[in-house]
Amino acid sequence: MSLEINSAVDRDGFIITDALLDELHITKREFAHAIGLSHSAIIRKDRLHAVSTQQRLRQTMEILKRIEPWAGSISGAWSWYRTYPIAPLGDLTAEELVSHGRADDVRAYLSHIAEGGYA
C-alpha cells in the first residue's frame, strides 16, 4: 500500500506523522530518532509545527516518496533509508545524513540516480 502525501498533511499544511507511523509500524520515538529530532519535537504540537521540525519532516517524506517506487513500498523505502550505505556520501545511510542536516545531499544523490547516473 502506498502512503498518500495528502494523508500526511493536515488542513493547515503541516506534516503529521500518524499515517506514516501507522504504515511503518514504528513509534514516534523511533521515528524522531531516525530523522534526527527529539521525541518532543514529534509529540508536542508547538514543536511539531516549528519550522525546523516541519522542514526535517518534509525532507524525510520527500526522500521516502522518491525511493518508494524503487523499493516497492513505503516500508521498503524506510528500510532503504535506515540501512543502505550511500558510497558517494561516505557510506553513510540516508538516516545518518538527514540526522546530520545533509538531506540536500541525499536528494541530490537521488536526483543523480534518477537521471541515470551511477550509484
mmCIF file of all heavy atoms in Angstrom, residues 16 25 118:
data_model
loop_
_atom_site.group_PDB
_atom_site.id
_atom_site.type_symbol
_atom_site.label_atom_id
_atom_site.label_comp_id
_atom_site.label_asym_id
_atom_site.label_seq_id
_atom_site.Cartn_x
_atom_site.Cartn_y
_atom_site.Cartn_z
ATOM 1 N N ILE A 16 1.979 15.747 9.362
ATOM 2 C CA ILE A 16 1.632 14.994 10.559
ATOM 3 C C ILE A 16 2.177 13.581 10.375
ATOM 4 O O ILE A 16 2.250 13.071 9.260
ATOM 5 C CB ILE A 16 0.113 14.984 10.822
ATOM 6 C CG1 ILE A 16 -0.648 14.576 9.564
ATOM 7 C CG2 ILE A 16 -0.360 16.335 11.325
ATOM 8 C CD1 ILE A 16 -2.129 14.411 9.741
ATOM 9 N N HIS A 25 4.614 0.920 11.125
ATOM 10 C CA HIS A 25 4.547 0.152 12.381
ATOM 11 C C HIS A 25 5.715 0.485 13.303
ATOM 12 O O HIS A 25 6.383 -0.402 13.839
ATOM 13 C CB HIS A 25 4.486 -1.352 12.111
ATOM 14 C CG HIS A 25 3.399 -1.751 11.171
ATOM 15 N ND1 HIS A 25 2.066 -1.694 11.525
ATOM 16 C CD2 HIS A 25 3.440 -2.177 9.888
ATOM 17 C CE1 HIS A 25 1.336 -2.091 10.494
ATOM 18 N NE2 HIS A 25 2.134 -2.374 9.488
ATOM 19 N N TYR A 118 25.436 6.807 -12.014
ATOM 20 C CA TYR A 118 25.875 5.631 -11.302
ATOM 21 C C TYR A 118 25.688 5.803 -9.799
ATOM 22 O O TYR A 118 25.842 6.891 -9.267
ATOM 23 C CB TYR A 118 27.357 5.333 -11.580
ATOM 24 C CG TYR A 118 27.595 4.904 -13.004
ATOM 25 C CD1 TYR A 118 28.106 5.809 -13.932
ATOM 26 C CD2 TYR A 118 27.294 3.615 -13.406
ATOM 27 C CE1 TYR A 118 28.330 5.418 -15.243
ATOM 28 C CE2 TYR A 118 27.499 3.214 -14.726
ATOM 29 C CZ TYR A 118 28.029 4.120 -15.630
ATOM 30 O OH TYR A 118 28.227 3.739 -16.931
#
